[in-house]
Structures are given as C-alpha cells and as structure tokens.
Amino acid sequence: MESRQHRRVSMHLPVRLRWTAPFGQKIELGETIDVSRGGLLVSTKESHSPGVTVWVTFPYDASLFDGQPEILARVARCDEMPEVLRATSPRERVQSERVPEQERAAKLDQLALGISDVPATFAVAFHFDQQPHSSSNGNANRHEPERRGSMRRALAIPVRVHPARIPWFEEAMTIDISAKGMRFRSHREYDLGEHLKIKFEDASSAPWHGAGEILSEVVRVAPVPESAALDVSVRRVE
C-alpha cells in the first residue's frame, strides 16, 4: 500500500545537491527519478547517509551563475540503483532523446559544466524539511507570538562562520534571515553569548549590508532531531 503523503510523478530533470562534509561543503549534480510535493528521488554517484541535511536546487540550470534557490531537505533513504535504471552515460542518453537541436545543445552544455560520464550508482530519497510557520517564534510553538523586532524569511545561502578569536571558519548554510539576525545549521558547538564573525560567500547579493566579516552574538542553540547538527541563531552586533 502506498504510504507517501504526496503522489509522486516520474520526472527526469537536473538537480544540484549541497551538503557539509568534514573538510567543507561538497556539491554533486544528479538527476531526478521521480518527484512529489514533499521530496525527490534522485540518481547520484555518491552514497548519502539517512538523516543527513542536504540543500537541494531543483530544477538546476547549470548555465546560471547564481540566484537559484536552495531547499532544505533530509536524506530519507539511500539504495543501490537497479541495473535496469542505470544509464550507460549522460551524454549517450541526451543524444538518444528525440528533442529539438537547440534543447539538445543546451543539455550538452550542462553536461560540460559538471556532470561526468560516470553512471549514477545510487537512488537517494530526499524529504523536504518543513519550515516554521511565519507567525512562529522559531521554538515550534505556533501559538506564541513572534518576539523578533524584524520579520525573518526563509533563505538558504552559504556563509563562513568562526568565533571572533579563532581564525578557522566553518562553511555553513543559513536557514532564515532577518535584518537583525539569522539562523544557520552548524556542525560545531557554540556557546550562548559567544561572538561570531560571519561572511557571505557572495558579498554582492548578501542580505546584510556591510563589507567583510560581520560581528554577531549567539542567542540560541537548538539540536536538530535525529542529527548531530545544531541550529544556531545569532543577532547582529551593531
């Protein structure tokens, strides 16, 4: 019996995956097998452990430099792909499709920008993480009024974070941002009241104004269920 909350549809479109590894962030390009409102089934070359946080760009356009939204998701399961579903190579699959020449050329350009000829080995299911309700204060209590002085919005962008007195940074991803604060997912432990320096990887499109590193203070640290990661909330120090 089908136990999924949302009906899935067979669909083959490019997808980009971003996750945090021990030595920094990693990116993999894959292709969807089927999609639903609640998640994706993706063919990948790398194995992904259940419960790991991943940021998904879907559909992914390799010709665009920046500005494509990333959706917070979690690995639900990772299975070895049956041989019948494995493609001989992405380029051969594109060439065999009956599509107009212009569309075929665009797909080949995407392959040249990062998708290797190594066939996918795994079928990985990703479930989208549900964002807190807009009236929530971030503590999973929707009936408690918002305490923040400025409205926050869900936004996933890469940032570099390190304590004020330690130069070694971690690569993290934001979850939501307001004019005076942000929440990001981290694999380091930070203390309440600790001062952190935060730098956006793309300063030109940064949601906070200011050049270089921006000083902030940790105001909340919350564990992520079924994960070793932490959600860290900070406020800007003017």
Side-chain angles (χ1 to χ4, degrees):
M1 182 176 66
E2 178 66 65
S3 59
R4 294 177 177 83
Q5 184 177 1
H6 304 291
R7 185 172 66 89
R8 63 180 182 177
V9 178
S10 178
M11 187 177 298
H12 300 280
L13 289 173
V15 59
R16 185 183 67 185
L17 310 173
R18 185 201 298 264
W19 70 96
T20 301
F23 298 102
Q25 290 186 347
K26 295 188 66 175
I27 289 177
E28 179 180 5
L29 302 183
E31 185 180 71
T32 59
I33 299 172
D34 58 53
V35 304
S36 75
R37 290 178 57 189
L40 306 171
L41 182 64
V42 180
S43 60
T44 70
K45 300 174 181 63
E46 294 201 30
S47 175
H48 295 266
S49 300
V52 170
T53 297
V54 177
W55 282 265
V56 178
T57 301
F58 168 77
Y60 174 64
D61 186 347
S63 66
L64 299 179
F65 176 73
D66 196 9
Q68 299 180 75
E70 300 186 55
I71 306 170
L72 183 63
R74 186 178 299 221
V75 179
R77 70 179 188 278
C78 179
D79 302 316
E80 191 167 346
M81 188 180 297
E83 289 289 341
V84 69
L85 294 179
R86 297 188 187 182
T88 55
S89 78
R91 184 170 296 274
E92 290 177 10
R93 186 167 65 250
V94 169
Q95 291 175 338
S96 66
E97 292 177 350
R98 294 182 178 178
V99 296
E101 184 63 30
Q102 184 177 3
E103 183 179 349
R104 180 161 59 247
K107 291 186 177 182
L108 291 175
D109 287 340
Q110 290 185 0
L111 297 176
L113 287 171
I115 301 179
S116 70
D117 285 341
V118 178
T121 305
F122 300 96
V124 187
F126 298 96
H127 286 174
F128 298 139
D129 272 16
Q130 299 219 349
Q131 295 293 331
H133 193 270
S134 59
S135 63
S136 168
N137 71 346
N139 290 323
N141 187 347
R142 298 186 178 183
H143 301 289
E144 188 174 344
E146 173 67 68
R147 297 193 303 267
R148 294 175 177 83
S150 56
M151 181 68 67
R152 68 175 181 176
R153 60 191 178 95
L155 182 63
I157 54 176
V159 291
R160 292 184 173 184
V161 182
H162 68 88
R165 297 184 179 182
I166 299 176
W168 297 284
F169 62 84
E170 73 160 325
E171 294 179 323
M173 290 288 290
T174 64
I175 298 175
D176 52 57
I177 294 181
S178 70
K180 298 181 179 179
M182 77 165 60
R183 182 164 54 119
F184 64 89
R185 186 148 297 181
S186 170
H187 289 269
R188 289 183 178 177
E189 293 186 1
Y190 297 107
D191 297 324
L192 293 178
E194 185 174 5
H195 282 178
L196 306 179
K197 290 186 176 180
I198 298 176
K199 183 177 182 180
F200 296 94
E201 288 193 3
D202 185 3
S204 62
S205 60
W208 284 358
H209 297 294
E213 297 180 323
I214 301 174
L215 188 63
S216 64
E217 180 184 1
V218 178
V219 296
R220 184 183 298 115
V221 179
V224 178
E226 302 178 4
S227 171
L230 299 170
D231 283 348
V232 182
S233 299
V234 300
R235 68 171 183 87
R236 290 192 63 169
V237 176
E238 303 294 341

